Amino acid sequence: MTNRLGFVFFPCLLLLFLHSGIAPAAAQEENQQAKAKYASETGTFRLKIVGPKGEPIPGAKIDLRFSPRQTLEIVSGSSDGDHRYGKSLAADDQGVLELKLPEQPLERISAGIRCEGYGPFWAQWELKAKSERLPVEYVANLDKGQSFGGIIVDEQGKPVVGAKVHPRIEYKKRESDLSQLASGRSYTTDSEGRWSIHIVPGNEVILRLAITHPKFKQRTENLKVQEFGLKDGAEPNSKIVLSRGLSITGTIRDKQGKPIQGAVVRARVNNRTLQSTSNAEGQYEVTNLEEGTVEFVAMGQTFAPELQTVTVRPDPEDVNFELGPGKELRVLVTDKAGKPIQGARVFFQDWRGSAHYYELDKVLCYTDENGEWIWKNAPADEIRVDICPPGEMQLPNQYIQAGEENEFVSVPLLRIRGLVVDAETGRKVENFRVIPGRIWPGRQEPFWTVRDSFDGSEGSFVFEESRVDGQLVLKIEGEGYAPLVSRAIAWNEGRVGLALKMKEAAPTDIQVLGPNGTPVKGADIALGVKGSQISLNDGAFDSSTFADRLKTNEQGIFRLQPQSAPLVLFICHEAGFLAHKFEPKNPIAELQLDPWATIKGKVLHGEKAASGVKVSVSPNRSYLGPDLPSPTHTYRSVTKDDGMFEFRRVVPGALQLAERVEAFRSSQGMKSAYSNPQSLSVAAGETLEVNIGGGGHRLTGKFVMPKDFKERYDWEFSMPELHLDVMEPQIPFPQDLSEQERQAWLATWRQTEAGKQWQAASRRHFDARFKPFRTHVKQDGSFDFHNIPPGKYLLEIKLAKPAMFAEREGTMAYLETSVVVPDFEQPYQTKQLGELELKPVAP
């Protein structure tokens, strides 16, 4: 019967092939391709781009990057031309891009996808360094996007044309990619100063961006969707004001006083390199600066670079440079056999106290065919560098100097090949994950870099590492297996083989419920294991979060793979938040979110609404267990004309609400502090209305330095504090008690009326000393304190050296003086303190 049916069926199958125009061999090839898992088996790669409901996205734009560079044949889709790093491609009308791969194996391939109305997507495969395997087909599921927009104007309200808007939009990435990557694309304002962006992920409530223009100071903003979000094609109307930039001028001369033409002055400010070239008179002008301290580097073609720390203010003095002849610096890089290595990079890390790679014009520090790199116009002092030979280990934190023998011998690249099998059966583990960890010098426990993790398959993996500070360990995680950690591997071991046996263990399915008890779809989960970093900005995980991430499915369920140690599940959703310590020995099947709290209010100076005031909420850090991460919650806002502020996704619990004062601005960063923070507690689901200020009085004055003070200083690097002059209460210990008797006496005394009064006085002293009023000092030394209640205060200020903080060795002058704020008959009166002269610190 079987033979007869087979005999009858075969001619029918043959007729079907002939009728459809497909030969049997071709059908067999299609079947093989259908069964194939990896592109290496078929020679083709198919990228399908779909939306949230699985709908194809026709014409989706794809930025394809790959190495080594070679020809890729397009089977389906189209090309928009080449670019610096690869090709600009577009999907066909079915949302498909299909490529025929080149004969030479690829080492890396990535696809960046951007489509208006959808959030951006990034898919990358490290085919050599991490032995990831490119699939035959990959489906990129894009999330629904939203639009942001606004208008850029100057201080007179006129539109700023040609301003560049640089948003930080985090890419969604393929499932196992935990790296941090944001879009680098910029947008330009039109003739009306308008800009709009249509690829912001739909779950983002804040858009972070920087705004630059040649004639204005750079401005960074956190834009809330309530104000800058665009719906249904609406035109942007919310405004951002740019302030005019400042300038620094000066001359560049040689040691004989002769002007140097063509010398370049550079400064690195807020990730921008600003520069100017000197004219025939040696004059230069660097524009588009902002107040603060900046480090300038001047270089000439035959002169050694020089550095100056410059204070930028509205009426700056000229900054002049005197350049001397450069010195010859030679670096030689060879292998162990003494053979020169060509193309080794000498990467600058530190010169005269900080990194100046960009200011030094990114000197092309690559060794030639003789293994040498020669810099003829180097400075005389030493430079800290990394030596990076191609295909070899990096040699970090090396010092080079002109006139010295700067010779380096390479170490072979660390290449680890691993075999991963079932401990009981010896069968290869089909799918697993490899997480690198670093054991830093002087530490015992590894720091797991989950963003560098990757997938392994079919029982094997390869991992290449070119830089290891300390030792390297690898953690292997596989579905249905307990995690496994390798031995520690030294940085100079070269080629390493590992045989890793995994023991079976069951995963845990956990359902997440909202505050109302219904399952929550799309909740974002960060796994807080030892070494991870959890950071939330206005109630959402931000780009500073380095941890494994999961999401709940349609039923609100996520699967947690077996864990070898306790961890914290940080769960974030628009409905609420939860930080739950998960114990592997006592798993839980269900978790319920706490609703967010809301804090809103107004900043008042007297009875007047204060606009442009920076307000912060700072929840108390929670301790969740030894070696477990405590999340960082950041809430920042700036009051509008009505003085109002609002925070909608506040984690419940104890917190501090305060005005945020910013100071200590330099090219290396900015420091801020809170002024008179209020300690509050807010319950889950509660809306708390609270104002800042609205009482007390105003203090004004001006700090000055002695007339004979010669050193350069910058008031920006000071932050005066005003606190109540409250004596610290003392405990009346009886005499001649042992330490044990003192502690016993204190425990009893604290319960007495005198002890309770002492505790209250101690709290007053703590609040006075450690919750001071703070303010910002203007460039001319003037200052204002607002909302100061009547009383006796101490006013303290430490003036730091430019580009330093006023702490110990950084202090160049100080002042501590008593201030009395009277109980004025009228509310919110101004007390003038006049000029207050600081006392210089003896060198």
Side-chain angles (χ1 to χ4, degrees):
M1 185 73 172
T2 302
N3 289 340
R4 185 179 178 186
L5 286 174
F7 177 79
V8 173
F9 176 73
F10 180 79
C12 294
L13 185 61
L14 181 59
L15 284 171
L16 178 61
F17 279 137
L18 294 174
H19 181 71
S20 61
I22 302 177
Q28 186 176 359
E29 183 179 346
E30 282 195 0
N31 285 334
Q32 289 175 349
Q33 290 196 3
K35 294 178 182 178
K37 294 171 61 177
Y38 303 112
S40 58
E41 299 173 278
T42 63
T44 60
F45 171 61
R46 178 182 170 93
L47 178 64
K48 187 174 182 181
I49 303 166
V50 301
K53 297 180 180 180
E55 72 279 11
I57 303 178
K61 302 297 183 183
I62 302 137
D63 172 18
L64 193 75
R65 306 184 184 196
F66 50 92
S67 64
R69 291 290 292 269
Q70 49 194 308
T71 302
L72 297 180
E73 182 181 334
I74 300 175
V75 178
S76 184
S78 59
S79 173
D80 292 335
D82 295 346
H83 58 74
R84 180 178 179 182
Y85 303 105
K87 290 183 174 295
S88 297
L89 304 173
D92 64 15
D93 56 3
Q94 298 300 311
V96 172
L97 172 69
E98 187 171 358
L99 303 170
K100 184 176 180 181
L101 300 181
E103 292 184 5
Q104 182 181 358
L106 295 173
E107 298 178 1
R108 176 189 296 113
I109 185 170
S110 64
I113 305 167
R114 280 196 292 248
C115 308
E116 287 196 359
Y118 299 90
F121 193 98
W122 182 268
Q124 177 169 297
W125 289 267
E126 292 281 356
L127 306 175
K128 180 184 178 184
K130 295 182 178 178
S131 70
E132 294 179 323
R133 303 191 69 175
L134 186 66
V136 171
E137 179 178 272
Y138 181 76
V139 179
N141 290 280
L142 276 58
D143 293 332
K144 193 67 178 174
Q146 59 181 326
S147 298
F148 274 70
I151 303 174
I152 311 296
V153 298
D154 63 16
E155 293 168 301
Q156 287 72 46
K158 297 180 180 179
V160 177
V161 181
K164 298 290 185 182
V165 178
H166 311 269
R168 179 176 177 83
I169 302 173
E170 189 73 18
Y171 279 98
K172 180 182 178 180
K173 292 169 285 291
R174 67 185 183 92
E175 295 72 14
S176 58
D177 187 352
L178 298 177
S179 61
Q180 299 293 328
L181 183 67
S183 171
R185 184 178 177 183
S186 63
Y187 300 80
T188 305
T189 56
D190 62 16
S191 60
E192 296 179 340
R194 284 190 167 89
W195 61 272
S196 58
I197 302 168
H198 305 285
I199 61 168
V200 182
N203 61 345
E204 294 288 344
V205 295
I206 288 180
L207 177 64
R208 297 165 183 82
L209 52 78
I211 305 165
T212 60
H213 189 280
K215 296 182 180 179
F216 295 88
K217 301 176 189 177
Q218 177 172 313
R219 180 161 178 174
T220 56
E221 289 287 335
N222 291 339
L223 307 183
K224 295 188 175 182
V225 67
Q226 298 97 317
E227 185 176 0
F228 287 88
L230 304 178
K231 292 185 177 180
D232 303 324
E235 285 290 322
N237 54 34
S238 297
K239 295 180 179 179
I240 299 173
V241 179
L242 295 187
S243 301
R244 293 281 175 180
L246 303 177
S247 299
I248 288 289
T249 59
T251 58
I252 305 175
R253 300 178 183 275
D254 62 18
K255 293 294 185 180
Q256 289 72 44
K258 182 181 178 181
I260 301 174
Q261 183 175 7
V264 178
V265 179
R266 294 186 182 86
R268 186 73 175 167
V269 181
N270 294 328
N271 293 321
R272 293 183 301 154
T273 300
L274 306 177
Q275 73 175 48
S276 174
T277 303
S278 60
N279 60 20
E281 287 74 40
Q283 298 170 339
Y284 74 90
E285 180 181 18
V286 179
T287 61
N288 201 18
L289 294 162
E290 54 187 283
E291 295 93 341
T293 299
V294 180
E295 291 182 322
F296 282 81
V297 175
M299 298 178 65
Q301 290 185 351
T302 60
F303 297 90
E306 282 296 335
L307 180 146
Q308 286 198 53
T309 302
V310 178
T311 298
V312 181
R313 50 172 58 116
D315 55 346
E317 299 177 354
D318 282 357
V319 177
N320 302 319
F321 286 90
E322 185 180 272
L323 303 184
K327 296 183 177 297
E328 185 172 274
L329 186 152
R330 290 174 174 264
V331 172
L332 175 66
V333 183
T334 65
D335 62 17
K336 288 185 176 180
K339 182 181 178 181
I341 296 179
Q342 184 176 2
R345 184 177 185 184
V346 183
F347 189 84
F348 290 173
Q349 290 290 355
D350 185 278
W351 177 56
R352 298 188 183 178
S354 57
H356 293 290
Y357 175 62
Y358 287 93
E359 293 94 320
L360 293 172
D361 194 27
K362 295 186 287 187
V363 175
L364 296 178
C365 316
Y366 291 93
T367 56
D368 59 18
E369 65 274 8
N370 299 315
E372 278 192 325
W373 169 64
I374 301 174
W375 187 9
K376 293 185 177 297
N377 303 310
D381 45 341
E382 69 179 11
I383 305 169
R384 183 169 62 88
V385 300
D386 292 346
I387 305 296
C388 309
E392 303 280 280
M393 292 296 291
Q394 294 183 20
L395 305 176
N397 301 320
Q398 308 296 316
Y399 288 90
I400 59 176
Q401 190 169 0
E404 300 291 331
E405 292 185 0
N406 306 296
E407 298 181 3
F408 302 94
V409 178
S410 69
V411 175
L413 189 73
L414 183 60
R415 183 176 173 86
I416 303 169
R417 186 178 295 275
L419 176 66
V420 183
V421 299
D422 185 291
E424 294 294 326
T425 66
R427 290 195 301 267
K428 295 179 179 179
V429 177
E430 281 296 315
N431 299 293
F432 55 91
R433 195 155 177 243
V434 183
I435 305 171
R438 272 78 177 176
I439 303 177
W440 309 115
R443 297 193 60 178
Q444 300 295 322
E445 297 293 331
F447 179 89
W448 299 108
T449 52
V450 294
R451 58 182 172 179
D452 293 333
S453 61
F454 61 97
D455 290 337
S457 61
E458 297 181 343
S460 66
F461 70 89
V462 171
F463 178 59
E464 290 183 350
E465 181 58 85
S466 62
R467 178 171 179 145
V468 177
D469 295 314
Q471 295 178 306
L472 179 74
V473 290
L474 299 177
K475 180 163 63 174
I476 313 299
E477 295 180 348
E479 185 168 357
Y481 289 95
L484 178 66
V485 177
S486 75
R487 69 170 178 87
I489 302 166
W491 69 281
N492 58 355
E493 290 192 40
R495 294 182 177 270
V496 176
L498 297 175
L500 304 166
K501 299 179 179 180
M502 304 192 72
K503 295 181 179 180
E504 289 188 355
T508 302
D509 286 342
I510 301 175
Q511 186 175 43
V512 178
L513 306 177
N516 60 1
T518 59
V520 173
K521 171 190 173 184
D524 199 358
I525 302 116
L527 307 187
V529 301
K530 185 174 182 177
S532 57
Q533 178 175 303
I534 312 297
S535 179
L536 294 96
N537 195 323
D538 282 333
F541 295 117
D542 66 15
S543 59
S544 297
T545 293
F546 301 122
D548 280 341
R549 301 277 286 275
L550 301 170
K551 279 190 180 293
T552 56
N553 63 14
E554 295 281 347
Q555 292 75 42
I557 296 173
F558 69 95
R559 172 161 290 184
L560 183 65
Q561 294 302 323
Q563 301 294 316
S564 57
L567 76 158
V568 181
L569 300 173
F570 296 97
I571 309 176
C572 189
H573 188 267
E574 61 183 12
F577 175 79
L578 184 67
H580 171 79
K581 185 177 178 180
F582 179 87
E583 298 280 359
K585 295 181 180 179
N586 300 298
I588 189 169
E590 190 175 273
L591 294 171
Q592 187 166 7
L593 300 180
D594 294 322
W596 298 105
T598 297
I599 295 179
K600 61 182 181 180
K602 182 181 290 188
V603 176
L604 299 167
H605 290 169
E607 297 181 351
K608 183 180 178 182
S611 64
V613 176
K614 299 177 176 67
V615 181
S616 290
V617 167
S618 178
N620 290 353
R621 296 292 292 268
S622 54
Y623 176 77
L624 300 166
D627 301 321
L628 292 175
S630 295
T632 300
H633 293 271
T634 301
Y635 298 92
R636 293 181 178 178
S637 182
V638 180
T639 60
K640 305 303 178 185
D641 290 342
D642 59 2
M644 296 296 296
F645 63 87
E646 183 175 17
F647 303 97
R648 296 187 178 184
R649 295 175 66 166
V650 179
V651 61
L655 53 86
Q656 291 186 328
L657 172 70
E659 177 182 346
R660 189 176 80 257
V661 180
E662 294 182 350
F664 302 155
R665 291 185 292 168
S666 77
S667 58
Q668 304 303 317
M670 179 272 294
K671 187 175 181 180
S672 63
Y674 293 158
S675 176
N676 191 31
Q678 302 180 47
S679 295
L680 306 170
S681 182
V682 60
E686 179 184 6
T687 296
L688 183 63
E689 296 192 30
V690 57
N691 291 339
I692 297 176
H697 303 287
R698 176 173 174 246
L699 290 179
T700 67
K702 185 176 183 178
F703 295 116
V704 297
M705 293 294 290
K707 292 182 179 179
D708 59 350
F709 190 79
K710 302 299 183 184
E711 292 188 56
R712 188 171 57 81
Y713 59 89
D714 181 2
W715 290 116
E716 286 279 349
F717 281 77
S718 62
M719 187 182 288
E721 297 184 358
L722 185 74
H723 58 83
L724 281 167
D725 189 359
V726 178
M727 292 290 292
E728 182 176 5
Q730 302 299 311
I731 301 174
F733 283 109
Q735 295 182 355
D736 302 325
L737 294 181
S738 67
E739 183 60 31
Q740 186 174 0
E741 289 172 333
R742 284 167 62 93
Q743 295 303 320
W745 179 89
L746 179 60
T748 302
W749 179 77
R750 287 169 66 96
Q751 305 305 315
T752 67
E753 187 61 32
K756 293 177 181 178
Q757 291 177 3
W758 172 84
Q759 293 178 64
S762 293
R763 284 193 293 271
R764 288 195 296 272
H765 175 265
F766 178 87
D767 287 345
R769 196 70 184 87
F770 298 103
K771 295 184 179 180
F773 292 90
R774 292 184 172 98
T775 192
H776 173 72
V777 183
K778 298 176 183 178
Q779 289 285 356
D780 64 354
S782 61
F783 63 90
D784 288 272
F785 283 101
H786 298 280
N787 306 308
I788 309 300
K792 183 180 179 182
Y793 292 85
L794 282 177
L795 174 61
E796 295 180 296
I797 181 174
K798 291 181 180 180
L799 177 61
K801 296 178 181 179
M804 299 182 69
F805 299 151
E807 297 169 358
R808 296 181 182 176
E809 74 280 356
T811 302
M812 63 194 307
Y814 71 97
L815 175 67
E816 181 178 311
T817 186
S818 180
V819 174
V820 176
V821 178
D823 192 2
F824 292 102
E825 293 183 2
Q826 298 296 322
Y828 202 69
Q829 297 298 298
T830 297
K831 177 170 181 174
Q832 298 278 354
L833 299 180
E835 290 191 348
L836 302 173
E837 186 174 292
L838 274 65
K839 300 177 182 179
V841 175

